[in-house]
Amino acid sequence: MKKLLTFVFALTIYTVSFSQEKVTKIPTVDVKTIDGKTFSTANISNDGKPIIISFWATWCKPCVKELTTIAEVYEDWQKETGVKLIAVSIDDSRTSGTVKPTINGKNWNYEVLLDVNSDFKRAMNVNAVPHTFLINGKGEIVWQHTSFTDGGEIELLKLIKKVAAGEEIKE
Amino acid sequence: MKRIYFTSRLIPIFLLCITTQLSKAQNGILNAGQIHGNLQTDVQYYNPDSTIGAAAVPEKLLMNGFANIIYTNGHFSAGLRYESYQNAIQGFDSRYKGNGIPYRYASYTTEGLEFTVGSFYEQFGSGLVFRTYEERNLGYDNAMDGIRIKYMPFKGVTIKGIIGNQRFFFDKGPGIVRGVDGELSLVEFLEVTKSTKLVEKLQNNNVRVILGGSFVSKYQKDQDPIYNLPENVGAWSARAALGWGRFDLTGEYANKINDPSAINGFIYKPGEALLVAASYSQKGLSFSLSAKRIDNMNFRSDRTATGNALSINYLPTISKQHVYTLSAMYPYGTQPNGEIGYQATLIYNMKKNSPLGGNYGMDLSINYSKVNEIDKNLLPDSTNMGYTSEFFKIGKTNYFEDFNIEVSKKFSKKVKAIFSYVYLAYNIDVIQGHPGAGMMYGHIGIADITYKIKDNHSIRLELQHLYTKQDEKSWALGLLEYTINPKWFFTVMDQYNYENSDTEKRIHYYTVSFGYTKDTHRFSISYGKQRSGIICVGGVCRQVPASNGLSLTITSSF
């Protein structure tokens, strides 16, 4: 019986993951702004232009690498595509106090949200950081990727350009 | 026979009907309905290896796995997590056994009100009196099972109420936990009251004021034949976050009534905790200072619980969370029975084309932290009060000290590097609970160099060295990683305990691994030896025994 249940369960996941139409919106969860105000993720918007949501943490090396790499070219990206990057920190209260000093100290110009108890991370089904989402002008998640390696930013820019031009992303 | 034939024929037709109906509905009224989730499986195959002290695993192969499935439709959301441990991987609590759905919830949100039944994670303030949290990779999960209400009557005001039992592996803890929390964001609130002039003045000066307070209480029946134990234990906390321009000041104070437990040695002394942090930051430069004092603040929904089980609160560590293998070899963990410490961090970005910044700029960060025992004047055992302590006095015993510098620099379009130096003083006696083991003093040097061969090919070299005369003595580590962006990585690593006083234990811990990532699907396989040690993620730690073998991890989200 247990085996059967497991099988049915696996099958459900399989069907769900492969038959689902790829229209996913951002779930509504309360997070905090960098100034400690409560902010609902339903209010994430960029006037019809693409948005990158990047889950990161101050203690996560590849995350910091990703955000540092993008920071170098962020201005150009914004000019070219109007994209906005929202860096969602999953630092808990051990390190959440260092998020503001880190983004300022590193001179990043991103919008930053604090997800101190990983509520947004859970709602977005993020297993591990870094995990990056690309959202189109209609607020739909059109692409996501986990992990970061050098050169990943080049791939991402290609996709942002497509989204900004209103094209669909196909693998 | 005919009937069966008929039914089996009917099923596909029936299914087809449902699917068409569903897809029609998807385009219509149920358009907002979404299903998504994530899953992870860790499988490990073990070879016995007496040289590193890896015990034989009778099952030979162990597996942990879980999947989350969330359904959302407009204001409604429901989800569950299936978990399976066949048996739990080495290093996980063996009470994680078998399969089950320990996490399931439904929640409804309407204008300002959120109502959740079932399992939930929640945190009040910085967590000093209440935080339920999960860290699957460590087997940490103290989720509440009960009811939560969140209400925002006005902009800037949030009230939360919770009640329930906590998760205890595949069971529930014996205690009932209930709590309320209120938070006020003053400037936002004043906007509601239409004090426009004041609001403008505060906003122009970039003033931020957030105040909050919580009360949490647990109930657990007293079945002790000798002691009269408190059945209801209350804890409260008050917090503030103040900001003015580039300055920020935050603090939280918590207090708990007497709560004899296995962790504090069943003393009746009340507990308290204080966390304060101040920071100054502007573009390219920031400085922050934080301090804390913890005194007898272990708070669990079962007074006999130990380890990572049934914690109601969270006592954050204030020291840098190291990520390189050798600097993370001796991680600090908060001592709930008492500690006093402080931390300072400076982060500085040297601009492009400045003398030190070079063509691409350079990041510098300096961090120092120190934690000591609190002052303790022991009282006679007959009082059952344990000790008295002067609040601001620092105790003699050094628990932990960490000084570290990290420089991160891009030299050219192809070469990037991070260099760091760490000095550690680590009290093995106290932190790992091995009386008589003494202190470890270590100096660690790390170089992490990335060379970009072409746009999507890069190679990374990590060299690390830990110099110490104590414990297992010095270690050296080398790691080489080749990545083909965005899909592949290959890594070889060797970690060598070359100076161990026991020559038999001068072992090479080598590992080879490779991984494949496509979008959100990630596979990784590694083979080699893992030394015993502590793994910490997000402030929670787990002891991992030595192992030798093959491990496979699959993660995916959809």
Side-chain angles (χ1 to χ4, degrees), chain B residues 81-300:
Chain B
R81 187 192 318 111
Y82 171 85
E83 292 178 22
S84 179
Y85 303 89
Q86 300 301 337
N87 286 328
I89 282 180
Q90 294 261 293
F92 275 71
D93 200 302
S94 58
R95 285 172 285 186
Y96 283 115
K97 206 175 168 83
N99 314 303
I101 301 183
Y103 176 86
R104 69 279 174 279
Y105 76 93
S107 100
Y108 188 77
T109 317
T110 124
E111 285 302 300
L113 181 72
E114 188 187 317
F115 196 88
T116 308
V117 294
S119 319
F120 60 87
Y121 299 101
E122 180 57 78
Q123 176 174 328
F124 293 169
S126 50
L128 288 181
V129 293
F130 184 72
R131 176 176 89 150
T132 52
Y133 176 71
E134 58 157 346
E135 181 48 70
R136 300 249 70 79
N137 294 321
L138 298 175
Y140 184 92
D141 191 343
N142 61 349
M144 286 283 280
D145 189 358
I147 291 172
R148 170 180 62 182
I149 300 169
K150 244 162 117 173
Y151 184 48
M152 293 174 88
F154 315 101
K155 203 182 171 207
V157 178
T158 314
I159 298 160
K160 294 175 192 172
I162 53 110
I163 187 159
N165 307 101
Q166 284 184 292
R167 176 175 179 185
F168 184 69
F169 305 99
F170 278 115
D171 205 349
K172 298 281 171 325
I176 304 172
V177 181
R178 43 270 149 105
V180 286
D181 180 73
E183 191 169 276
L184 168 73
S185 171
L186 194 68
V187 181
E188 283 179 280
F189 179 67
L190 289 174
E191 282 171 30
V192 181
T193 60
K194 302 206 169 71
S195 331
T196 30
K197 268 192 184 164
L198 180 63
V199 171
E200 253 175 52
K201 207 174 170 188
L202 291 171
Q203 281 174 342
N204 289 342
N205 287 307
N206 199 359
V207 172
R208 309 171 288 276
V209 181
I210 291 163
L211 304 169
S214 332
F215 179 76
V216 177
S217 141
K218 64 155 177 179
Y219 170 80
Q220 186 187 7
K221 208 171 157 44
D222 173 19
Q223 287 171 319
D224 196 285
I226 307 159
Y227 290 108
N228 182 12
L229 299 169
E231 293 192 323
N232 285 291
V233 174
W236 62 269
S237 83
R239 62 182 185 270
L242 311 170
W244 179 61
R246 290 164 172 175
F247 293 95
D248 281 282
L249 180 67
T250 59
E252 180 163 2
Y253 173 80
N255 195 299
K256 181 170 68 91
I257 69 154
N258 67 87
D259 178 21
S261 69
I263 297 282
N264 75 5
F266 286 93
I267 57 168
Y268 284 73
K269 186 183 185 302
E272 60 185 344
L274 177 72
L275 276 180
V276 283
S279 72
Y280 169 86
S281 69
Q282 64 177 59
K283 289 286 168 208
L285 172 72
S286 71
F287 183 71
S288 52
L289 259 176
S290 54
K292 75 160 173 182
R293 183 179 183 278
I294 306 281
D295 180 359
N296 192 22
M297 257 322 259
N298 169 62
F299 192 25
R300 296 175 196 245

Side-chain angles (χ1 to χ4, degrees), chain A residues 25 32 35-37 59 72 92-94 100-101 104-105 108 117 122-123 125 127 144 146 149-152, chain B residues 34 36 38 126 132 134 183 208 210 248 281 283-284 286 314 317 319 323 349 410 416 485 519 538 557:
Chain A
K25 298 226 166 188
K32 299 259 170 165
D35 289 329
K37 289 177 193 162
W59 43 260
E72 287 171 23
D92 71 14
S93 43
R94 170 174 182 183
K100 195 176 179 181
N104 275 332
W108 295 344
N117 208 29
R122 255 188 301 281
N125 294 111
N127 269 323
Q144 47 177 314
T146 175
T149 46
D150 286 275
Chain B
Q34 298 173 10
H36 50 103
N38 61 326
S126 50
T132 52
E134 58 157 346
E183 191 169 276
R208 309 171 288 276
I210 291 163
D248 281 282
S281 69
K283 289 286 168 208
S286 71
Y314 173 56
T317 309
S319 63
V323 286
N349 171 262
K410 185 171 170 180
K416 260 189 234 181
N485 193 61
D519 300 335
S557 51

Side-chain angles (χ1 to χ4, degrees), chain A residues 2-3 5-6 9 12-14 16-39 58-61 64-65 68-69 71-73 90-98 100-110 116-119 121-128 131-133 141 143-155 159 171, chain B residues 26-27 33-40 66-70 80 82 99 103 114 121-123 126-127 131-134 137 150 152 158 183 185 188 206 208 210 245 248 279 281-286 288 314 316-321 323-324 332 347-349 351-352 360 363 406 410 416 418 448 450 452 455-456 458 460 483 485-487 517-522 537-539 555-558:
Chain A
K2 262 188 178 169
K3 272 191 179 163
L5 270 177
T6 320
F9 187 78
T12 323
I13 295 172
Y14 182 82
V16 164
S17 59
F18 293 98
S19 65
Q20 183 71 10
E21 275 184 64
K22 283 218 163 176
V23 182
T24 348
K25 298 226 166 188
I26 304 167
T28 304
V29 174
D30 284 342
V31 290
K32 299 259 170 165
T33 65
I34 196 78
D35 289 329
K37 289 177 193 162
T38 303
F39 177 85
T58 54
W59 43 260
C60 159
K61 275 272 137 48
V64 172
K65 199 177 203 181
T68 309
T69 311
E72 287 171 23
V73 287
I90 60 155
D91 284 270
D92 71 14
S93 43
R94 170 174 182 183
T95 44
S96 62
T98 62
K100 195 176 179 181
T102 303
I103 55 155
N104 275 332
K106 290 193 177 285
N107 206 0
W108 295 344
N109 291 307
Y110 308 130
V116 283
N117 208 29
S118 295
D119 297 324
K121 176 181 172 239
R122 255 188 301 281
M124 294 282 273
N125 294 111
V126 171
N127 269 323
H131 191 126
T132 306
F133 294 85
I141 299 166
W143 180 83
Q144 47 177 314
H145 185 82
T146 175
S147 83
F148 177 80
T149 46
D150 286 275
E153 75 284 2
I154 299 164
E155 196 67 27
L159 296 164
E171 275 301 308
Chain B
Q26 274 211 333
N27 296 326
Q34 298 173 10
I35 290 179
H36 50 103
N38 61 326
L39 50 112
Q40 178 169 335
F66 69 85
N68 285 298
I69 295 179
I70 300 175
L80 58 85
Y82 171 85
N99 314 303
Y103 176 86
E114 188 187 317
Y121 299 101
E122 180 57 78
Q123 176 174 328
S126 50
R131 176 176 89 150
T132 52
Y133 176 71
E134 58 157 346
N137 294 321
K150 244 162 117 173
M152 293 174 88
T158 314
E183 191 169 276
S185 171
E188 283 179 280
N206 199 359
R208 309 171 288 276
I210 291 163
D248 281 282
S279 72
S281 69
Q282 64 177 59
K283 289 286 168 208
L285 172 72
S286 71
S288 52
Y314 173 56
T317 309
I318 52 164
S319 63
K320 181 170 170 151
Q321 189 156 340
V323 286
Y324 290 102
Y332 185 63
I347 302 173
Y348 181 51
N349 171 262
K351 290 207 174 66
K352 283 179 196 174
Y360 297 93
D363 281 331
E406 186 177 287
K410 185 171 170 180
K416 260 189 234 181
I418 299 171
D448 176 354
T450 308
K452 207 175 191 176
D455 268 357
N456 54 350
S458 58
R460 195 170 71 86
T483 46
N485 193 61
K487 292 195 170 117
T517 309
K518 187 174 180 295
D519 300 335
T520 59
H521 315 294
R522 188 176 169 86
V537 182
T555 63
S556 176
S557 51
F558 51 86

Side-chain angles (χ1 to χ4, degrees), chain B residues 4 30 52 162 186 206 219 223 246 359 374 432 447 481 533:
Chain B
I4 293 169
L30 284 173
I52 58 168
I162 53 110
L186 194 68
N206 199 359
Y219 170 80
Q223 287 171 319
R246 290 164 172 175
N359 289 333
I374 51 169
Q432 296 187 356
E481 184 182 76

